[in-house]
Amino acid sequence: MDFTTGGRLEVRITPDDVGKRISVRLVTEDRETGATFTDVVGVLTSWTQGTLAITRRTGEPVRVAEASLVAGKVVPAAPARRRGPAASAPELDRVAARAWPPVTSELLGEWTLRASGGFTRRANSVLPLGDPGMGLDAALRRVTSWYAARELPAYIQVSTGAEATQELLAAELESRGWIREVSARMLVAALAPLGDLDADASAVTLSRQLDDAWLTRYQRSSGEPSPEARAVLSGGPSVWFATIAAGEGATLAAGEGATLAAEGGGAPTTEERGAPAAIGRCVVDGRWAGFSAVEVAPERRRQGLARAVMTALARKALDEGASAAYLQVESDNGGAHALYENMGFTVHHSYHHWRASGEDPR
């Protein structure tokens, strides 16, 4: 990382650069004992009382003492992407929201308040893409009262790490005591290569209907799925469900990742009799195909079933005119990240669910 101008290190940022993406170098050891330098890149979210607050691409907040700076500069709003379909973070967040639609929603300025009886944070959180039409404190009071009326904790979904994401909002929520809980990554890929994966999709059945057999494999179904869960899963512009029946598709391929849920990770710990060997879901929306709920029975992992499900769904999405793919994976789900990276997916940006302080998570 080049900070030099004419051979000298310079600090070329000021408090006026709050809201911009910056790169800084700081010294972390005493100069007399041998300086050790650390570089930090992210959005400058505040600069007060001699301390800089910087939010990294991953959403991690970093605090830097002004006195430790040896270099700093403003850098482009987002690094140039080398591969994958081009898209802004707000575009992807809106597309993903349409693919996971809430049962109830209400606009607060340009924010969307979403509720679905507590089924997933995504369908029970605010999507803050723009101005709420009032001051932040007033907006947060409206948000907490709206969710309280529905007996739900108040969550706000905040994206970081790309152009037009909400690092400043994340910093404001943190300063007001909101708690960052689950973090996830938005992954993108070209769709055509997914349809050409080396996978035997002949055992995959595709359907427009969400049936009970599919739900027995879905890891978020504990007992009888709620009406809200069925509504969210069935909602979206063009929804497809993929199923590989128990006993089908044996030993399709090797090398499959160990954890295959597209959000949340893990499969049911108890194998229900007759449950499918693997499932998946895809929502086609214009050029985008959104994948979710790709899950495999524990005893059938590493047999290529997830690749077969993804391939079959990708081919259907291509038939409907889509050209780009996305999915969402929790940041700590290493097995899923490895699987999808092998399929050609790359990280576009991250998002995080912030919960109002003092409320019980559900």
Side-chain angles (χ1 to χ4, degrees), residues 184-263:
R185 292 170 183 158
M186 182 77 76
L187 310 183
V188 297
L191 185 61
L194 295 176
D196 291 334
L197 288 173
D198 182 18
D200 181 1
S202 62
V204 181
T205 300
L206 299 181
S207 174
R208 290 288 196 183
Q209 302 302 315
L210 173 63
D211 59 32
D212 291 340
W214 192 97
L215 286 166
T216 61
R217 175 55 52 208
Y218 183 53
Q219 57 98 10
R220 291 187 181 275
S221 296
S222 54
E224 178 64 23
S226 67
E228 292 87 355
R230 291 178 179 271
V232 172
L233 288 165
S234 300
S238 178
V239 186
W240 289 97
F241 297 96
T243 303
I244 298 178
E248 294 292 328
T251 318
L252 290 173
E256 186 169 307
T259 305
L260 303 175
E263 183 188 46

Side-chain angles (χ1 to χ4, degrees), residues 102-180:
V103 174
T104 301
S105 64
E106 183 176 316
L107 291 177
L108 179 64
E110 295 176 300
W111 289 14
T112 303
L113 284 58
R114 305 174 291 180
S116 302
F119 172 70
T120 72
R121 288 178 180 83
R122 276 191 287 158
N124 292 272
S125 59
V126 178
L127 189 65
L129 300 181
D131 190 331
M134 60 186 70
L136 181 59
D137 288 323
L140 296 179
R141 287 193 294 271
R142 288 279 297 275
V143 165
T144 54
S145 63
W146 192 85
Y147 283 98
R150 290 155 179 80
E151 298 183 340
L152 294 169
Y155 282 100
I156 299 180
Q157 179 179 315
V158 180
S159 292
T160 63
E163 187 175 0
T165 48
Q166 299 119 8
E167 284 84 355
L168 288 176
L169 176 58
E172 294 287 358
L173 293 175
E174 183 183 29
S175 72
R176 288 162 172 78
W178 285 59
I179 300 165
R180 183 165 67 113

Side-chain angles (χ1 to χ4, degrees), residues 327-348:
L327 51 80
Q328 295 145 289
V329 183
E330 289 187 5
S331 299
D332 60 359
N333 193 342
H337 279 288
L339 172 71
Y340 294 127
E341 181 178 351
N342 184 259
M343 292 183 185
F345 282 91
T346 58
V347 177
H348 185 277

Side-chain angles (χ1 to χ4, degrees), residues 24 32 45 76 121 144 225 253 287:
V24 299
E32 295 181 357
T45 51
R121 288 178 180 83
T144 54
R287 72 179 178 122

